[in-house]
Amino acid sequence: MIFTELTVGDLTLKNRVVMPPMCMYTANNDGKVLPFHLVHYGTRAQGGVGLIIVEATAVEPRGRITDHDLGIWDDEQIEGLRNLVDIIHSFGAKMALQIAHAGRKSEVGPTVSSSPLVFNSQYTEPISLSLEKIDQVTKAFGEGARRAHLAGFDMVEIHGAHGYLINQFLSPMINKRDDEYGFKPRFGIKFLQGVITAVKQNFPGPVALRVSAESYEPDGLHPEDYIKILQILQSNPETQIDLLDVSSGGVTPSMPPRPLKAMYQMPFAETIKKNSSIPILSGGLITTFQQSNEILLSNKADLVWLGRELLRNPYWVLKAANEWHVKMDFPIQYKRAEPYSP
Ligand SMILES: Cc1cc2nc3c(=O)[nH]c(=O)nc-3n(C[C@H](O)[C@H](O)[C@H](O)COP(=O)(O)O)c2cc1C
């Protein structure tokens, strides 16, 4: 159930509730942590979340979605992140950093991608990355991981989902290259392999990968493709990951069928979990203890994220523990307000 520990790599999480990465678009142009971030993440840690994955944090200035994203492209950004990690650790939560590059979905630009295809008319046409530039971006992911380690993060999550740069190489809908970074026969995995290798060389802790397991495009990638991608990654110690974070969509403007229901992404997670041996994290529109527990008990995933629910209700975990009579330490300062359980 959600209040049991889980060990990922060498990292033990106190429960199975995860705050997924959510861009707050609140940083200044220098990408540094501000007081808002300390309060925002600190409150969820105090509220009992086991693992907090900090929002998409750009490995290059042109890899930001907006000029209000957090950044990890400069050593100057380490200090603020270290302060953030220290605060969260003091509340007993573990901390991951999502390292990201928006590629053609950047509003900052100049935009780059696997091929010169625009996402939609709101974006500028991206420049196709040369082999030399691919090498530079790969190194930027490695440098981001090095800085994440210096900042004290317990885990790094590589953002391979939602149509951002790594996804722009993986997807046959976007990647039209005919060199070794092209798709063969279904997906362009070489860039992802290079990024994971660079990250692992620079980060000693567990490495997670977030993917859009379903692209909602008949010719795009589906969970079965990601089973194969995972098999390829896990067959080589240099590219082995410790956790797969299963999300969906954002690859092209194509959307999942509406209306969206709670657990709509769980079939994708379940399909991959049945064919893999590493822990799977997933979620989507989860709001209740029953939903999250049922995901774990039916073995659809090992960890569950609650995104927007934790924005509404940072004390969700403490409240669920109280309702379900699970002993959990209430913040000592708030003891006099601890809900009464008969
Ligand atoms: C405000 C907001 C910002 C988000 N930013 C990111 C992000 O930085 N990286 C990412 O991978 N997903 C991002 N997402 C997607 C969430 O991580 C999560 O997958 C999504 O909200 C679905 O979960 P939920 O229904 O529990 O909110 C964002 C979602 C929201 C609502």
Side-chain angles (χ1 to χ4, degrees):
M1 65 107 93
I2 62 168
F3 295 104
T4 51
E5 289 185 348
L6 180 75
T7 299
V8 178
D10 57 1
L11 180 69
T12 300
L13 307 174
K14 65 179 176 185
N15 61 45
R16 308 293 181 102
V17 182
V18 177
M19 179 180 185
M22 286 182 283
C23 282
M24 292 289 108
Y25 305 121
T26 297
N28 293 323
N29 199 29
D30 61 10
K32 290 183 180 171
V33 167
L34 291 174
F36 167 82
H37 300 102
L38 306 182
V39 175
H40 169 65
Y41 291 110
T43 311
R44 277 76 199 172
Q46 203 178 37
V49 171
L51 174 68
I52 292 176
I53 310 179
V54 170
E55 64 200 79
T57 300
V59 298
E60 284 191 330
R62 66 175 173 187
R64 291 172 291 174
I65 302 167
T66 74
D67 54 9
H68 293 293
D69 292 18
L70 285 178
I72 192 136
W73 64 80
D74 192 324
D75 284 354
E76 296 272 306
Q77 292 157 335
I78 297 171
E79 189 184 340
L81 289 165
R82 192 187 297 124
N83 189 24
L84 174 64
V85 173
D86 287 347
I87 289 172
I88 272 57
H89 280 165
S90 75
F91 295 126
K94 300 295 182 196
M95 274 297 251
L97 182 71
Q98 186 182 55
I99 52 173
H101 195 301
R104 71 175 187 166
K105 287 176 86 176
S106 167
E107 292 170 13
V108 184
T111 58
V112 296
S113 187
S114 55
S115 305
L117 299 177
V118 282
F119 178 75
N120 66 22
S121 57
Q122 287 169 324
Y123 292 90
T124 53
E125 187 178 299
I127 301 158
S128 175
L129 283 167
S130 65
L131 294 183
E132 192 192 340
K133 295 277 191 276
I134 288 177
D135 198 41
Q136 282 172 12
V137 180
T138 306
K139 288 199 175 104
F141 271 98
E143 282 293 283
R146 179 182 67 78
R147 296 187 184 106
H149 176 52
L150 290 176
F153 281 94
D154 305 293
M155 184 190 288
V156 158
E157 177 175 274
I158 298 169
H159 197 348
H162 304 164
Y164 295 114
L165 187 61
I166 291 172
N167 210 170
Q168 290 160 32
F169 275 86
L170 281 172
S171 171
M173 311 275 311
I174 306 169
N175 184 340
K176 303 294 175 193
R177 302 177 74 97
D178 51 18
D179 61 11
E180 70 258 43
Y181 285 90
F183 69 97
K184 326 179 179 94
R186 286 268 313 143
F187 37 75
I189 196 174
K190 192 173 163 66
F191 180 58
L192 173 62
Q193 288 170 315
V195 167
I196 298 175
T197 305
V199 167
K200 282 172 70 91
Q201 281 167 354
N202 285 283
F203 190 81
V207 173
L209 171 67
R210 185 169 235 204
V211 297
S212 278
E214 177 53 59
S215 58
Y216 306 108
E217 289 273 11
D219 295 334
L221 298 181
H222 308 292
E224 294 68 27
D225 296 304
Y226 280 94
I227 293 169
K228 289 194 197 111
I229 288 171
L230 193 56
Q231 279 165 355
I232 296 171
L233 296 178
Q234 299 309 90
S235 68
N236 178 354
E238 286 181 11
T239 57
Q240 270 168 9
I241 55 164
D242 301 286
L243 174 72
L244 189 76
D245 179 356
V246 178
S247 187
S248 71
V251 187
T252 65
S254 187
M255 304 282 259
R258 293 306 200 252
L260 290 181
K261 295 200 189 95
M263 307 212 235
Y264 71 100
Q265 295 180 131
M266 296 322 299
F268 316 140
E270 189 178 14
T271 303
I272 298 175
K273 182 158 170 57
K274 279 195 182 127
N275 290 278
S276 88
S277 55
I278 60 167
I280 303 290
L281 160 65
S282 192
L285 291 173
I286 308 295
T287 54
T288 69
F289 170 85
Q290 289 92 331
Q291 289 164 345
S292 42
N293 229 18
E294 128 59 32
I295 289 168
L296 300 179
L297 293 176
S298 57
N299 219 18
K300 293 184 174 71
D302 303 279
L303 290 158
V304 181
W305 80 66
L306 288 94
R308 285 160 291 183
E309 184 56 23
L310 280 172
L311 295 186
R312 286 184 285 266
N313 184 3
Y315 294 101
W316 186 93
V317 181
L318 291 176
K319 195 162 167 272
N322 182 259
E323 274 171 25
W324 294 87
H325 308 292
V326 174
K327 179 89 198 90
M328 206 178 152
D329 287 337
F330 206 71
I332 188 124
Q333 298 86 344
Y334 301 165
K335 269 282 174 213
R336 286 175 64 185
E338 188 164 17
Y340 169 70
S341 10

